[in-house]
Amino acid sequence: MGVALAALFPIAAHAQRASENAVTAADDAFGTRVGNERIGIYNEDDVRGFSPLQAGNVRIEGLYFDKVGDENDRLQESSRVRVGIAAQGYAFPAPSGIVDYALRTPGELAELSVLTEGSSIGYNTLQFDGALPVNKTLSVGGGVGYYRNIFAGGGNNYEGNIAVLLRWRPVPNLEILPFWSRKDTYLQKDGEAYAPEGDFLPSPIPQRHFFGPRWATGSDFSVNYGSLLNYSLSSWVVRLGIFRSELADPKSSFPYLDLVTKSQGELNVDSSPPSHIGSTSGEFRLEKSFAEGPWVHRVIFSLRGRNWNGLYGNSITTNVGPQTIDQTITSPKPSLQFPPLIHDHVDEHWIGLQYQIARKNWLQVSVGAQKARYHKRTVVPGEVPTLLNTAPWLLTGSATGYLTDQVAIFGSYTQGLEDNGITPSNAINSNEALPATTSRQTEGGVRWTLLPGTSLVATVYDLKKPYFNLDPSNFYRELGELENKGLELSLSGNLTDRLDVVAGGVLSQPTVSGDTVRLGVSGVRPVGIYSRKFVFDTNWRPSGTTGLSFDLGVNYFGGEPGSLDDVVTIPAHITMDWDTRYELKIAGQTASLKFAIMNMFNTRSLRVVDSDTYGFSFGNGRRIDLRLVVDVG
């Protein structure tokens, strides 16, 4: 039982950064981020074809967090996607998985890590992260960072971030973790999107450069702050997290090229008025664990909620003029008068109870229920307020059984409630409030421990939810039901004491059903969801060497429908990354030097932004990176 309690809220300590490596840190292939590195088949924007972030399935150290502001690497040390068997035993799981952030918590030692990195495309950063114990019960941590970001689609910006964290343990069984962070982005240029007026893709694929007018820039800032409390008393555990997340956009511009031919069209820029979104969220959790012979029981009571407010407005489109792909265009800055802003408010809370029973290496069963209440009020100036309410019961159940010490089978059923936000700005019914909808998921699979520290996981899943998109008249609405069935594979661990492997894949069959499909309004395949993805990452440390290692990463992305009628499909593509790392001493301090070639074969590909609208895939084009980390203390 002590192990179970430790897993609930581990006493984290700030980790220095020279040894950061996503491959060696990953427990599975479902999605891991450590520092500046990400690997896996999923991330916070894509799990089984859907976005946990958009669905509200984000946690900080396991507690509910309504993330509005951008992530801040000074605050968050790592994140993991909890899906499949990785979510078994997790308190109140959700369809499409959960993204769980770990804080960069200060420990009991004075530490300072300095990271500097640059690349051949112009990206560069300088980051400082540290910790300082004040006394035996209080430690202070935090950091500052500067970035010059260059993105695959031609966008770029300057970014600064800062964070402060405290770890206070006034008594041995009580831990309090307050934190504050801010991220500012300046001179932000969004790379162009491409909207063909026909069944074709833009060609040639544009270069990594900003081709829009100089005035098409933006800025924003994000603030995330709050506190966690962990308290244990015998078999009782109390956990509390209260968080505030804000995102403000004083100005923003989004350029897109309406293509008449594959390479020529009219450039438009959508300019949006100042906006502000903020959410106060959190969770109170009370847990009781007790043992009866070989059985361990765990009862969890949870109260979660969020209070979300948005102030935003309709964008104004400016026609800049004719443009050819890769042609820089100039135009005078327009004088814009924005309409009155829209006020949006969401109040949502859940009360839940979950019961778990487990016998080590034999059986684990979990059942739970939550009562959700959702209320949304949208006020468009000059119109009657829109009110949306729902109060469903959400049920979950899971079981894991051990056939042998090496083989376990598992299964689960999960229901969720997801806020769909508002309709996109490019719809004729832009900024219209969308109803919250329920989703449901069934899954089952097997985990086989091949070697000590190495496991193979295979999962089959079936996820269902309403399908929203733009119809042929550019009206954004529910078009039917979206079902995604698939098979996931994950192989991870230490094949030898000098070789770590993280490999995985997903083979799925996403389909749309309903009247819109029968009437030919929508195709059977949903827009922007791939049916195949495979990843292979390995870290090798040659024998006879000390501190030297090599990483190889291969990623296969299957094709994905780009148009509502499934006529246009983005082709499949493969990328390959390679790096060399060397740990050394600089002035007696531990350091790490990393040389990387990302996307070695210069693969350039597109991604779906919206129906019939395309941008660039992440990591588009080759780049060379050089990174130095020095740990002091």
Side-chain angles (χ1 to χ4, degrees):
M1 184 166 62
V3 174
L5 291 175
L8 296 179
F9 55 96
I11 300 175
H14 176 83
Q16 293 192 284
R17 305 193 61 187
S19 61
E20 286 182 344
N21 188 309
V23 177
T24 57
D27 297 322
D28 51 50
F30 299 130
T32 299
R33 179 181 66 85
V34 178
N36 294 10
E37 302 182 357
R38 299 173 185 262
I39 63 168
I41 56 177
Y42 298 136
N43 56 58
E44 66 177 19
D45 294 311
D46 172 29
V47 175
R48 296 176 176 175
F50 308 107
S51 170
L53 180 60
Q54 181 178 338
N57 299 332
V58 177
R59 306 289 187 265
I60 292 181
E61 302 285 357
L63 296 178
Y64 173 73
F65 170 51
D66 185 27
K67 180 182 174 183
V68 173
D70 293 335
E71 65 184 46
N72 187 328
D73 291 340
R74 309 284 69 73
L75 178 66
Q76 298 160 4
E77 182 175 56
S78 64
S79 67
R80 284 175 169 80
V81 173
R82 306 289 187 179
V83 69
I85 198 169
Q88 295 285 299
Y90 198 87
F92 306 103
S96 72
I98 286 174
V99 175
D100 196 359
Y101 292 112
L103 295 177
R104 201 176 285 279
T105 308
E108 299 177 355
L109 299 175
E111 301 171 339
L112 175 65
S113 293
V114 182
L115 182 151
T116 181
E117 185 174 8
S119 77
S120 58
I121 64 174
Y123 163 82
N124 59 83
T125 181
L126 180 61
Q127 304 168 26
F128 298 87
D129 296 286
L132 180 67
V134 178
N135 52 44
K136 292 183 178 180
T137 64
L138 179 65
S139 296
V140 180
V144 295
Y146 154 84
Y147 300 77
R148 170 56 170 159
N149 293 313
I150 307 291
F151 301 108
N156 58 81
N157 63 43
Y158 292 90
E159 175 194 328
N161 57 35
I162 185 172
V164 178
L165 303 91
L166 301 179
R167 179 182 175 219
W168 182 37
R169 303 190 69 201
V171 293
N173 56 344
L174 174 63
E175 181 181 62
I176 301 174
L177 301 169
F179 63 85
W180 175 90
S181 69
R182 177 173 172 129
K183 173 183 174 181
D184 288 80
T185 304
Y186 305 97
L187 297 176
Q188 179 172 308
K189 297 178 180 179
D190 287 331
E192 288 182 26
Y194 299 86
E197 297 181 2
D199 296 330
F200 58 87
L201 293 172
S203 179
I205 295 179
Q207 298 293 321
R208 186 192 286 114
H209 185 70
F210 182 75
F211 297 101
R214 289 176 174 269
W215 52 265
T217 62
S219 61
D220 64 61
F221 70 85
S222 300
V223 177
N224 292 292
Y225 59 90
S227 184
L228 294 99
L229 179 148
N230 299 314
Y231 178 70
S232 64
L233 180 63
S234 184
S235 60
W236 291 89
V237 175
V238 177
R239 303 203 65 204
L240 175 65
I242 300 177
F243 313 114
R244 177 68 179 173
S245 184
E246 299 181 21
L247 173 64
D249 286 287
K251 59 179 295 191
S252 63
S253 298
F254 177 68
Y256 61 95
L257 185 59
D258 279 324
L259 290 170
V260 179
T261 69
K262 289 186 176 183
S263 61
Q264 293 181 321
E266 291 286 324
L267 179 64
N268 297 287
V269 177
D270 279 351
S271 301
S272 298
S275 65
H276 184 275
I277 299 173
S279 181
T280 300
S281 61
E283 179 177 3
F284 168 78
R285 190 183 297 174
L286 178 64
E287 305 179 17
K288 167 70 173 178
S289 298
F290 58 95
E292 291 183 341
W295 295 93
V296 175
H297 305 262
R298 182 183 176 199
V299 180
I300 306 170
F301 170 78
S302 172
L303 183 62
R304 293 189 283 132
R306 68 176 180 130
N307 189 286
W308 183 98
N309 289 279
L311 186 63
Y312 54 87
N314 290 315
S315 61
I316 295 177
T317 301
T318 301
N319 180 269
V320 179
Q323 186 185 35
T324 300
I325 286 179
D326 286 350
Q327 174 193 0
T328 301
I329 193 168
T330 60
S331 71
K333 182 178 180 179
S335 178
L336 304 175
Q337 185 66 41
F338 293 106
L341 298 179
I342 298 169
H343 294 256
D344 215 349
H345 173 74
V346 174
D347 182 57
E348 187 174 15
H349 58 270
W350 303 259
I351 184 170
L353 187 66
Q354 188 168 8
Y355 170 71
Q356 299 176 357
I357 182 171
R359 181 173 177 175
K360 186 177 180 181
N361 293 335
W362 196 71
L363 180 67
Q364 177 179 308
V365 176
S366 175
V367 292
Q370 297 179 84
K371 178 63 174 179
R373 294 190 181 277
Y374 175 93
H375 171 75
K376 184 172 186 176
R377 185 174 188 267
T378 304
V379 180
V380 179
E383 299 182 14
V384 177
T386 300
L387 300 177
L388 299 171
N389 297 281
T390 188
W393 281 95
L394 305 174
L395 306 178
T396 182
S398 66
T400 301
Y402 291 83
L403 303 181
T404 69
D405 289 343
Q406 289 76 39
V407 180
I409 58 174
F410 63 92
S412 70
Y413 173 78
T414 309
Q415 295 178 321
L417 179 67
E418 301 179 3
D419 189 344
N420 288 291
I422 60 174
T423 56
S425 61
N426 59 330
I428 61 174
N429 60 328
S430 63
N431 293 321
E432 181 179 293
L434 293 170
T437 57
T438 56
S439 58
R440 57 197 184 278
Q441 176 180 271
T442 56
E443 63 181 353
V446 59
R447 179 180 63 195
W448 179 19
T449 303
L450 302 173
L451 299 168
T454 303
S455 61
L456 173 67
V457 179
T459 309
V460 292
Y461 65 87
D462 186 353
L463 200 163
K464 298 177 181 179
K465 64 190 300 184
Y467 178 53
F468 288 86
N469 215 313
L470 295 167
D471 66 17
S473 65
N474 213 41
F475 193 89
Y476 195 88
R477 61 187 179 93
E478 185 177 341
L479 298 179
E481 183 179 69
L482 173 54
E483 180 176 17
N484 194 8
K485 298 179 180 180
L487 167 66
E488 288 172 346
L489 299 170
S490 167
L491 173 67
S492 62
N494 317 103
L495 297 185
T496 72
D497 60 353
R498 290 186 172 271
L499 181 65
D500 291 272
V501 172
V502 177
V506 56
L507 299 94
S508 64
Q509 188 178 13
T511 57
V512 179
S513 61
D515 290 340
T516 54
V517 176
R518 288 190 292 269
L519 296 174
V521 174
S522 171
V524 175
R525 297 184 62 195
V527 171
I529 299 181
Y530 54 79
S531 58
R532 302 286 187 274
K533 183 178 180 181
F534 300 98
V535 300
F536 176 84
D537 291 276
T538 183
N539 174 261
W540 174 51
R541 301 168 294 281
S543 60
T545 64
T546 302
L548 180 65
S549 67
F550 299 92
D551 285 358
L552 176 68
V554 182
N555 300 277
Y556 170 85
F557 302 87
E560 54 184 293
S563 60
L564 189 65
D565 56 9
D566 294 344
V567 173
V568 179
T569 299
I570 291 181
H573 66 279
I574 298 175
T575 63
M576 183 177 294
D577 306 324
W578 172 84
D579 71 59
T580 300
R581 303 167 192 246
Y582 181 61
E583 295 186 8
L584 67 157
K585 294 288 185 178
I586 297 179
Q589 306 299 318
T590 301
S592 173
L593 184 65
K594 174 185 172 182
F595 173 82
I597 304 177
M598 311 300 291
N599 195 349
M600 293 173 60
F601 300 111
N602 198 31
T603 300
R604 304 176 66 237
S605 58
L606 299 169
R607 66 176 177 87
V608 177
V609 176
D610 213 331
S611 178
D612 294 302
T613 305
Y614 310 99
F616 295 87
S617 63
F618 178 78
N620 191 63
R622 182 191 300 115
R623 75 176 194 271
I624 298 173
D625 292 348
L626 185 63
R627 185 184 75 186
L628 175 65
V629 184
V630 180
D631 290 338
V632 181

